[in-house]
Amino acid sequence: MKDPIPRATVERLPVYLRCLDELSGTEWVSSGRLAAMAGVNPAQVRKDLSYLGSYGVRGVGYDIENLRNQVERELGSCRVAIIGAGNLGAALANFDGFTERGFAIAGIFDLDPEKIGTRINRLRVEPLSALEEAIDERGVRIGIITTPPEAAQEVANRLTEAGVRSILNFAPTILQVADSVDVRRVDLSTELQVLSFYLTRS
Amino acid sequence: MKDPIPRATVERLPVYLRCLDELSGTEWVSSGRLAAMAGVNPAQVRKDLSYLGSYGVRGVGYDIENLRNQVERELGSCRVAIIGAGNLGAALANFDGFTERGFAIAGIFDLDPEKIGTRINRLRVEPLSALEEAIDERGVRIGIITTPPEAAQEVANRLTEAGVRSILNFAPTILQVADSVDVRRVDLSTELQVLSFYLTRS
DNA sequence: ACATGTGAAGCGCTTCACAGCG
DNA sequence: CGCTGTGAAGCGCTTCACATGT
């Protein structure tokens, strides 16, 4: 299959990667096992993995090491900048999961003079005015917005202007960006509200 | 329409609520306007809102105040507990968005003796051993896990045992729970990986 | 005139069922 | 015999197009 990988599949690949993390000691895994861990249908797993090419062995399953490499290669990785050195920005900068997945945090930026110069996980907090230069010089390709909501749109504009095409937005606001920019929103209270909805009717 | 509201619609309702937040000063909003803000199709907005009953006025649009009340009532709200008082737990406890949406943080818990007793946004960090009693006495219905990945499954077990049926999991691990428990996962590096995937092919 | 509400068509994803292969 | 790979069926969501209401 050399056709484009469905969006839904792309969103499951990181989940499979997490499951593979927890399968140390074994060499092979079947679609059934992986499906049980990820909470999906076995046929789904097989179809998803078939988009990467055919790496399974019939009658046996998938070579874990090989599979991990394939999935990681497909997802790729790159340099990111965090804008907003508040609680959430600090949490992200301290989060080892990024480095484990091959992402490098190229810088963390803030407006607050009291925060500038302090260190978070070996990174020095830099002034927001240094953002554009850093993006350019360090090859940043993804911006992570963890500012208060009032500042988020302005930061998104600056990121776009500086050539960043992918934004992960944690600020509780809806960003307006050009079509060429890919924004993923993580709204902490959105997730809570969806849980809450299903709570009242089951 | 009194049929069950589609899952996809439920996940968009919080988005519409965010958009309504930004429409102060006006009294009416059309499906077209709301759609542009939320980044979806106008027909989608109308169909979504029609599941709440018919609150639009033909030729005019939707009464913003009325619409907000309807959506909020549909989504509901309740008491939550945060388990893990690290960077991310603190960020969530400090996040005003929860209170704005009617969620009350009933407690924040940790194992670390150095953290227990400290204050985060007026909440005293409590020992993990007090979790079950607090859930029971304070009527906690949703648990938010912000522990390291190794501790997450154990915490999920204790939450389930204590009667919690909804879990928001920020720990980078896949939880195994009974079918009766609703888990939503927010994996920070998952989101980055999806962005990264589309970066390499467009 | 203008915007909602909705049957019906369109589209993509999920699941089934089984052929294919080790 | 067991598990993968995949065409085809099934299913739910999105979008269209227009009737409906003010």
Coordinates of all heavy atoms in Angstrom, one line a residue, chain A residues 19-54:
Chain A
C19 N 2.6 1.1 23.3 CA 2.4 -0.3 23.6 C 3.6 -1.1 23.5 O 4.0 -1.9 24.3 CB 1.2 -0.9 22.8 SG -0.4 -0.1 23.1
L20 N 4.4 -0.8 22.4 CA 5.6 -1.5 22.1 C 6.6 -1.2 23.3 O 7.4 -2.1 23.7 CB 6.2 -1.1 20.8 CG 5.4 -1.5 19.6 CD1 6.1 -1.0 18.3 CD2 5.2 -3.0 19.5
D21 N 6.6 0.0 23.8 CA 7.4 0.3 25.0 C 7.3 -0.7 26.1 O 8.2 -0.9 26.8 CB 7.1 1.7 25.5 CG 7.5 2.9 24.6 OD1 8.3 2.6 23.7 OD2 7.1 4.0 24.8
E22 N 6.0 -1.1 26.3 CA 5.7 -2.0 27.4 C 5.9 -3.5 27.1 O 5.5 -4.3 27.9 CB 4.3 -1.7 27.9 CG 4.3 -0.3 28.5 CD 2.8 0.2 28.8 OE1 1.9 -0.7 28.9 OE2 2.6 1.4 28.9
L23 N 6.5 -3.8 26.0 CA 6.6 -5.2 25.6 C 8.1 -5.6 25.6 O 8.6 -6.2 24.7 CB 6.1 -5.4 24.2 CG 4.6 -5.6 24.1 CD1 4.1 -5.5 22.6 CD2 4.1 -6.8 24.7
S24 N 8.8 -5.2 26.6 CA 10.2 -5.6 26.7 C 10.3 -7.1 27.1 O 9.5 -7.6 27.8 CB 10.9 -4.7 27.7 OG 10.3 -4.8 29.0
G25 N 11.4 -7.7 26.6 CA 11.5 -9.1 26.9 C 11.1 -10.1 25.8 O 11.6 -11.1 25.6
T26 N 10.0 -9.7 25.1 CA 9.5 -10.5 24.0 C 10.0 -10.0 22.7 O 10.4 -8.8 22.6 CB 8.0 -10.5 23.9 OG1 7.5 -9.2 23.9 CG2 7.4 -11.3 25.2
E27 N 10.1 -10.9 21.7 CA 10.6 -10.5 20.4 C 9.5 -10.3 19.4 O 9.6 -9.5 18.5 CB 11.6 -11.5 19.9 CG 12.4 -11.1 18.7 CD 13.4 -12.2 18.2 OE1 13.6 -13.1 19.0 OE2 14.0 -12.0 17.2
W28 N 8.4 -11.0 19.6 CA 7.3 -11.0 18.6 C 6.0 -10.5 19.3 O 5.8 -10.8 20.5 CB 7.1 -12.3 18.0 CG 8.3 -12.8 17.2 CD1 9.3 -13.6 17.7 CD2 8.6 -12.5 15.8 NE1 10.2 -13.8 16.7 CE2 9.8 -13.2 15.5 CE3 7.9 -11.8 14.8 CZ2 10.4 -13.1 14.2 CZ3 8.5 -11.8 13.6 CH2 9.7 -12.4 13.3
V29 N 5.2 -9.9 18.5 CA 3.9 -9.5 19.0 C 2.8 -9.8 17.9 O 3.1 -9.5 16.7 CB 3.8 -8.1 19.5 CG1 4.0 -7.1 18.4 CG2 2.5 -7.8 20.3
S30 N 1.7 -10.3 18.3 CA 0.6 -10.5 17.3 C -0.3 -9.3 17.2 O -0.4 -8.5 18.1 CB -0.2 -11.8 17.6 OG -0.9 -11.5 18.8
S31 N -1.1 -9.2 16.1 CA -2.0 -8.1 16.0 C -3.1 -8.2 17.2 O -3.5 -7.1 17.7 CB -2.7 -8.1 14.7 OG -3.5 -9.3 14.5
G32 N -3.4 -9.4 17.6 CA -4.4 -9.6 18.6 C -3.9 -9.0 20.0 O -4.6 -8.3 20.7
R33 N -2.6 -9.3 20.3 CA -2.0 -8.8 21.5 C -1.9 -7.3 21.5 O -2.4 -6.6 22.5 CB -0.6 -9.4 21.6 CG 0.1 -9.0 22.9 CD -0.1 -10.0 24.0 NE 0.1 -9.4 25.3 CZ 1.3 -9.2 25.8 NH1 2.4 -9.6 25.1 NH2 1.5 -8.7 27.0
L34 N -1.4 -6.8 20.4 CA -1.3 -5.3 20.3 C -2.6 -4.6 20.4 O -2.8 -3.6 21.0 CB -0.6 -5.0 19.0 CG 0.2 -3.7 18.8 CD1 1.1 -3.5 20.0 CD2 1.0 -3.7 17.5
A35 N -3.6 -5.2 19.7 CA -5.0 -4.7 19.7 C -5.6 -4.6 21.1 O -6.2 -3.6 21.5 CB -5.9 -5.5 18.8
A36 N -5.3 -5.7 21.9 CA -5.9 -5.7 23.3 C -5.2 -4.6 24.1 O -5.9 -3.9 24.9 CB -5.6 -7.1 23.9
M37 N -3.9 -4.4 23.9 CA -3.2 -3.4 24.7 C -3.7 -2.0 24.3 O -3.9 -1.1 25.1 CB -1.7 -3.5 24.4 CG -1.1 -4.7 25.0 SD 0.7 -4.8 24.7 CE 1.3 -3.6 25.9
A38 N -3.9 -1.8 23.0 CA -4.2 -0.4 22.5 C -5.7 -0.2 22.6 O -6.2 1.0 22.4 CB -3.8 -0.3 21.1
G39 N -6.5 -1.2 22.8 CA -7.9 -1.0 22.9 C -8.6 -0.9 21.6 O -9.6 -0.1 21.5
V40 N -8.1 -1.6 20.6 CA -8.8 -1.5 19.3 C -9.0 -2.9 18.7 O -8.6 -3.9 19.4 CB -8.0 -0.7 18.3 CG1 -7.8 0.8 18.8 CG2 -6.6 -1.3 18.0
N41 N -9.5 -3.0 17.5 CA -9.8 -4.3 16.9 C -8.5 -4.8 16.2 O -7.8 -4.1 15.6 CB -10.9 -4.0 15.8 CG -11.4 -5.3 15.2 OD1 -10.6 -5.9 14.4 ND2 -12.6 -5.7 15.4
P42 N -8.3 -6.2 16.3 CA -7.1 -6.7 15.7 C -7.0 -6.4 14.2 O -5.9 -6.2 13.7 CB -7.3 -8.2 15.9 CG -8.2 -8.4 17.1 CD -9.1 -7.2 17.0
A43 N -8.1 -6.4 13.5 CA -8.1 -6.2 12.0 C -7.6 -4.7 11.8 O -6.9 -4.4 10.8 CB -9.5 -6.4 11.4
Q44 N -8.0 -3.9 12.7 CA -7.6 -2.5 12.6 C -6.1 -2.4 12.7 O -5.4 -1.6 11.9 CB -8.2 -1.7 13.8 CG -7.8 -0.3 13.9 CD -9.0 0.6 13.5 OE1 -9.1 0.9 12.3 NE2 -9.9 0.9 14.4
V45 N -5.5 -3.1 13.7 CA -4.0 -3.1 13.8 C -3.4 -3.6 12.5 O -2.4 -2.9 12.0 CB -3.6 -4.0 15.0 CG1 -2.1 -4.2 15.0 CG2 -4.1 -3.4 16.3
R46 N -3.8 -4.7 12.0 CA -3.2 -5.2 10.8 C -3.3 -4.2 9.6 O -2.4 -4.0 8.9 CB -3.9 -6.6 10.4 CG -3.6 -7.6 11.4 CD -3.8 -9.0 10.8 NE -5.2 -9.3 10.5 CZ -6.2 -9.7 11.3 NH1 -5.9 -9.8 12.6 NH2 -7.4 -9.9 10.9
K47 N -4.5 -3.6 9.5 CA -4.7 -2.7 8.4 C -3.8 -1.5 8.6 O -3.1 -1.0 7.6 CB -6.2 -2.3 8.2 CG -6.4 -1.4 7.1 CD -7.8 -1.6 6.4 CE -7.8 -2.8 5.5 NZ -9.0 -3.0 4.6
D48 N -3.8 -1.0 9.8 CA -2.9 0.2 10.1 C -1.4 -0.1 9.7 O -0.8 0.7 9.0 CB -3.0 0.6 11.5 CG -4.3 1.3 11.9 OD1 -4.9 1.8 11.0 OD2 -4.6 1.4 13.1
L49 N -1.0 -1.2 10.2 CA 0.5 -1.6 10.0 C 0.7 -1.9 8.5 O 1.9 -1.7 8.0 CB 0.9 -2.7 10.9 CG 0.8 -2.5 12.4 CD1 1.3 -3.6 13.2 CD2 1.5 -1.2 12.8
S50 N -0.3 -2.3 7.8 CA -0.1 -2.7 6.4 C 0.3 -1.4 5.6 O 0.9 -1.5 4.5 CB -1.3 -3.4 5.8 OG -2.3 -2.4 5.5
Y51 N -0.2 -0.2 6.1 CA 0.2 1.0 5.4 C 1.6 1.3 5.4 O 2.2 2.1 4.6 CB -0.6 2.2 6.0 CG -2.1 2.2 5.7 CD1 -3.0 2.0 6.7 CD2 -2.6 2.4 4.4 CE1 -4.4 2.0 6.4 CE2 -3.9 2.3 4.1 CZ -4.8 2.2 5.1 OH -6.2 2.1 4.9
L52 N 2.3 0.7 6.4 CA 3.8 1.0 6.5 C 4.6 0.1 5.5 O 5.8 0.2 5.4 CB 4.3 0.8 7.9 CG 3.5 1.4 9.1 CD1 4.1 1.1 10.4 CD2 3.5 2.9 8.9
G53 N 3.9 -0.8 4.9 CA 4.5 -1.9 4.1 C 4.2 -3.2 4.9 O 3.5 -3.1 5.9
S54 N 4.7 -4.3 4.4 CA 4.4 -5.5 5.0 C 5.5 -6.0 5.9 O 6.5 -6.6 5.4 CB 4.0 -6.6 4.0 OG 2.8 -6.2 3.3

